[in-house]
Amino acid sequence: MSSEQAVHAPPRLFGREHLALVLGVVGLVTLAAFENRAVGTALPTMVREFDALGSFGLANAAPNASYLVSLAIAGLWADRRGPVAALRAGAITFALAQLLVGTAQSMPMVIGGRLLSGFAEGLLDVALMVLVARALPAALRPRMFSLFAAMWILPSVVGPVLTGLVTEQVGWRWVFLGALLLLVPSWLCLRPALRMLRTPADASAPETPTTTGPVDPAPERGADARDLLPWALAASVALFVLSWAGDQLEAHPTTAWVAIPVSLLVLGVAAVRVMPAGTFAARRGFPAVVAVRGLGGAAFAGAGAYLPLLLTLLHDFSPSRAGVTLSITGVSWALGSWLQGRDHGLARLTVLRTGLALMTLGITGTSLLAWTSTTWPGLICWAIAGIGMGLNSSSVSVLTLDLSDATNSGRNSSAAQMAGTMSIAAVFALFGTLLAVNADHPTGWVFGAIITTSAALALAALLTSARVPRGQR
């Protein structure tokens, strides 16, 4: 290859220039995915060992409470100081969380570690998005996001089994302490790329633009942490109370029935305050992207969370067979994300709308599981919905960066993450309440209503996507 050809060669994700960065980022994403999947398998053993079954729901809800606050901090921090400091803090916090849980002598220590884990996840999620925006050319971002999704396949399929074996053979503590072994090489791979990053001021220089389409101005939110963080904290408390109330509907019904609507109200008010202006009206531009993220995430998560229970109660699946929906979700989502990252020649908005259309049709077809005695048609439709989610979720990430620059990519990324988190929490509360009311005998119509509502949310996301600006491929 001549020197002129080398200069004009298209960038490659696994080329020498980006290889260390890609390996480091992939390592962190895979590590976070394994930790996410591992907790669900190890936590039942942990609460039994500490004789703290009543703390099970608290331990599950703790990361969500700290995650929202962390997103708000990370967005502001990454925009002002660049992603390196936030990424370093996220990695250190993640290590402390694993160490605290792995050496826990009581359930409060476990819950404290889970709070740190949620905080670390928020820092890492936003910092990695900003890192991708600043370190990779726009042409490689779709492929990087497809790689993110692919890194969830192995943890989704193998993670629960591996965690179960480790828990049984050497103890649940090594599930968390073992994660520290992978953190070190991942960070060492990232260090050369991090040293090469420019400062925020330099990154916005004209010769190295970070966007490929029209840039939205910074979200019209609080200019600093004093405006944003109190509302993020209020949303976190509301999420925590919602999770607690769902667990207390039978034990303390009166308190729980009061807490649920109050928490939803607080969550709604906080969402208005922390989201970019115009999000709830789906204003054209970045607010519409945030609205699509919230609606699409709620639709897919709302249906997927109840499929294992549906299959167990209505189709007599064993727990292991019912868990097949998790495998379908991981593989089909990754497939959709891989497809959006190919050189297909389609506009990004077309890919987004195709994904939302597939998700709407797929979730609608999944409702067959609630109304009929057959299972394969519904599971095939769920796989189609997963492909659609992979197409649209990665496209939302690409569009978020396309509509951002070096001054607001952190806040825009955190806004998109917050929208997904809060909308999912809201539908979980509503669907959980519906199920609790019919807990004595949940028939097909209960699950049918849940899945049909999820399909309606997916359709709303598809309609809202008409207000997303057209960008580059």
Side-chain angles (χ1 to χ4, degrees), residues 360-385:
T360 302
L361 293 173
I363 295 177
T364 301
T366 303
S367 66
L368 292 171
L369 292 169
W371 307 119
T372 68
S373 60
T374 57
T375 57
W376 285 113
L379 291 176
I380 290 173
C381 287
W382 181 242
I384 293 172

Side-chain angles (χ1 to χ4, degrees), residues 3-35:
S3 58
E4 183 177 352
Q5 287 176 319
V7 169
H8 296 288
R12 294 186 301 119
L13 193 61
F14 289 98
R16 184 168 58 180
E17 181 182 0
H18 304 299
L19 183 59
L21 171 71
V22 171
L23 291 178
V25 170
V26 163
L28 286 179
V29 172
T30 305
L31 188 59
F34 264 111
E35 193 266 353

Side-chain angles (χ1 to χ4, degrees), residues 101-123:
V101 175
T103 59
Q105 301 300 311
S106 64
M107 204 60 199
M109 289 182 66
V110 172
I111 294 171
R114 299 289 289 139
L115 284 168
L116 283 178
S117 181
F119 197 86
E121 184 180 355
L123 291 174

Side-chain angles (χ1 to χ4, degrees), residues 61-390:
N64 291 331
S66 55
Y67 181 64
L68 274 180
V69 175
S70 178
L71 286 176
I73 293 173
L76 295 167
W77 194 0
D79 285 339
R80 293 180 178 180
R81 302 291 184 184
V84 178
L87 192 63
R88 183 183 296 114
I92 292 172
T93 306
F94 179 85
L96 291 175
Q98 306 312 302
L99 187 63
L100 185 58
V101 175
T103 59
Q105 301 300 311
S106 64
M107 204 60 199
M109 289 182 66
V110 172
I111 294 171
R114 299 289 289 139
L115 284 168
L116 283 178
S117 181
F119 197 86
E121 184 180 355
L123 291 174
L124 291 173
D125 283 353
V126 174
L128 287 175
M129 285 283 286
V130 177
L131 181 63
V132 167
R134 296 189 180 181
L136 292 179
L140 294 182
R141 293 174 192 166
R143 297 187 180 185
M144 191 66 196
F145 290 128
S146 68
L147 197 59
F148 279 13
M151 291 306 100
W152 279 80
I153 295 180
L154 191 62
S156 296
V157 176
V158 179
V161 176
L162 181 62
T163 302
L165 288 174
V166 172
T167 301
E168 293 172 5
Q169 300 301 320
V170 296
W172 59 264
R173 296 180 185 277
W174 286 102
V175 172
F176 301 94
L177 296 176
L180 298 176
L181 301 178
L182 293 177
L183 181 61
V184 174
S186 297
W187 185 259
L188 291 178
C189 284
L190 272 177
R191 286 185 64 187
L194 296 181
R195 283 197 298 265
M196 293 173 62
L197 278 182
R198 294 182 171 192
T199 63
D202 293 336
S204 58
E207 69 271 19
T208 55
T210 62
T211 62
T212 61
V215 179
D216 267 18
E220 297 175 29
R221 296 185 289 173
D224 55 37
R226 290 174 299 177
D227 298 321
L228 182 60
L229 289 183
W231 290 107
L233 180 60
S236 296
V237 173
L239 284 178
F240 188 84
V241 174
L242 275 175
S243 300
W244 172 86
D247 288 341
Q248 300 297 318
L249 279 170
E250 290 188 12
H252 303 93
T254 302
T255 304
W257 282 113
V258 172
I260 288 174
V262 171
S263 298
L264 286 173
L265 178 61
V266 172
L267 187 64
V269 173
V272 172
R273 297 287 184 169
V274 301
M275 290 294 101
T279 297
F280 289 88
R283 192 177 71 191
R284 185 174 297 279
F286 181 65
V289 174
V290 176
V292 168
R293 172 65 183 264
L295 289 167
F300 193 75
Y306 291 90
L307 283 184
L309 184 61
L310 182 159
L311 292 171
T312 301
L313 295 180
L314 301 186
H315 296 281
D316 297 322
F317 273 40
S318 65
S320 59
R321 286 186 66 202
V324 73
T325 58
L326 296 177
S327 299
I328 292 175
T329 299
V331 174
S332 60
W333 186 325
L335 175 59
S337 188
W338 178 81
L339 290 172
Q340 66 80 34
R342 299 304 91 195
D343 293 324
H344 42 62
L346 299 175
R348 181 54 50 184
L349 181 57
T350 301
V351 178
L352 172 68
R353 303 198 75 185
T354 300
L356 291 170
L358 287 175
M359 196 169 75
T360 302
L361 293 173
I363 295 177
T364 301
T366 303
S367 66
L368 292 171
L369 292 169
W371 307 119
T372 68
S373 60
T374 57
T375 57
W376 285 113
L379 291 176
I380 290 173
C381 287
W382 181 242
I384 293 172
I387 294 172
M389 186 61 182

Side-chain angles (χ1 to χ4, degrees), residues 381-401:
C381 287
W382 181 242
I384 293 172
I387 294 172
M389 186 61 182
L391 288 170
N392 89 74
S393 64
S394 294
S395 294
V396 166
S397 297
V398 173
L399 285 165
T400 297
L401 296 184

Side-chain angles (χ1 to χ4, degrees), residues 420-443:
T421 301
M422 289 189 284
S423 61
I424 289 171
V427 297
F428 278 5
L430 293 173
F431 293 168
T433 302
L434 176 62
L435 186 63
V437 171
N438 298 275
D440 291 339
H441 189 58
T443 55

